[in-house]
Amino acid sequence: MGPLIRRRYWVELTGSGRPAGEVARHWRTHLADHAPKGLIWFRGLDHPIPPVEQGDRLWLRIFLIRRGRVVVEHVGSLGFRVRTLRLHPEAGTTDFRVIPGAAPGDLTLQIESLLRSSSTFDLLAYVLGVHAAQRLSWQRTLESVARYAGGRVVSQGTETLEMPVLQHTFTLPEPPEGGPEAAH
């Protein structure tokens, strides 16, 4: 329902003492720990979390009132992607990425969603204020991951783009020969 919306949230760090791959792995395996309590809460559907691996389904409570489910669609060395499942308030995907900078210790932590509201009610809720709570949730998540990564925040921000057709700013790599199981 409504336009396709790309939302991007980021925090740029300098002086991180941890490699990008380590930060990405920690973020994925400790996703529930980095989510701000009271705004978003995760629980594993297939098994207790952590760990969070490709193919895992997660149940989430959003702002203590809405429920949703996602599946971890892709896991890479620098991030992961979740896709919403039926009855989630939005339909689409969200990428969680750690992007190494040009200098050692420079990192960009980024969450990028490519979503559409699942119903007229969800679209109206988004327009009337859910977007602000969502932005706060992801900013707090990024700040938590930044504390783990260490260093100093030099920039942070958000952007929203609404269009009839959009693509992620990042393209997933092709899976290795042998299917998804070979990726582990």
Side-chain angles (χ1 to χ4, degrees):
M1 176 63 59
L4 195 55
I5 301 170
R6 182 172 61 211
R7 298 180 202 110
R8 196 168 64 89
Y9 314 87
W10 70 90
V11 170
E12 293 179 2
L13 300 171
T14 189
S16 171
R18 300 182 190 270
E22 179 185 329
V23 174
R25 188 173 34 264
H26 175 83
W27 189 358
R28 177 177 47 84
T29 58
H30 296 280
L31 177 62
D33 298 330
H34 290 292
K37 307 305 177 257
L39 292 175
I40 190 165
W41 179 79
F42 290 91
R43 186 178 83 196
L45 280 171
D46 303 313
H47 58 80
I49 59 170
V52 175
E53 300 292 342
Q54 186 166 319
D56 286 351
R57 295 175 307 147
L58 306 174
W59 181 84
L60 52 142
R61 180 163 294 199
I62 307 159
F63 318 127
L64 299 176
I65 55 171
R66 286 301 308 251
R67 295 180 183 169
R69 293 179 180 193
V70 298
V71 62
V72 180
E73 182 174 77
H74 177 79
V75 171
S77 62
L78 296 175
F80 60 102
R81 175 178 285 172
V82 300
R83 179 177 39 84
T84 62
L85 297 174
R86 189 182 163 119
L87 302 179
H88 190 285
E90 296 178 304
T93 60
T94 299
D95 285 6
F96 301 82
R97 295 186 205 111
V98 179
I99 304 164
D106 288 357
L107 299 174
T108 299
L109 308 175
Q110 180 175 276
I111 298 172
E112 181 185 45
S113 297
L114 190 57
L115 301 160
R116 182 183 311 263
S117 294
S118 292
S119 68
T120 303
F121 172 80
D122 293 314
L123 178 60
L124 183 60
Y126 176 77
V127 169
L128 293 176
V130 167
H131 67 281
Q134 187 176 63
R135 182 173 53 246
L136 180 61
S137 293
W138 290 139
Q139 286 173 327
R140 293 262 169 91
T141 299
L142 288 168
E143 290 165 2
S144 177
V145 176
R147 283 190 296 278
Y148 171 80
R152 181 175 57 86
V153 173
V154 293
S155 168
Q156 59 185 20
T158 64
E159 73 178 7
T160 300
L161 180 62
E162 297 181 15
M163 298 282 290
V165 177
L166 287 171
Q167 295 180 354
H168 277 284
T169 58
F170 175 79
T171 304
L172 292 174
E174 292 296 319
E177 296 271 335
E181 300 81 33
H184 292 286

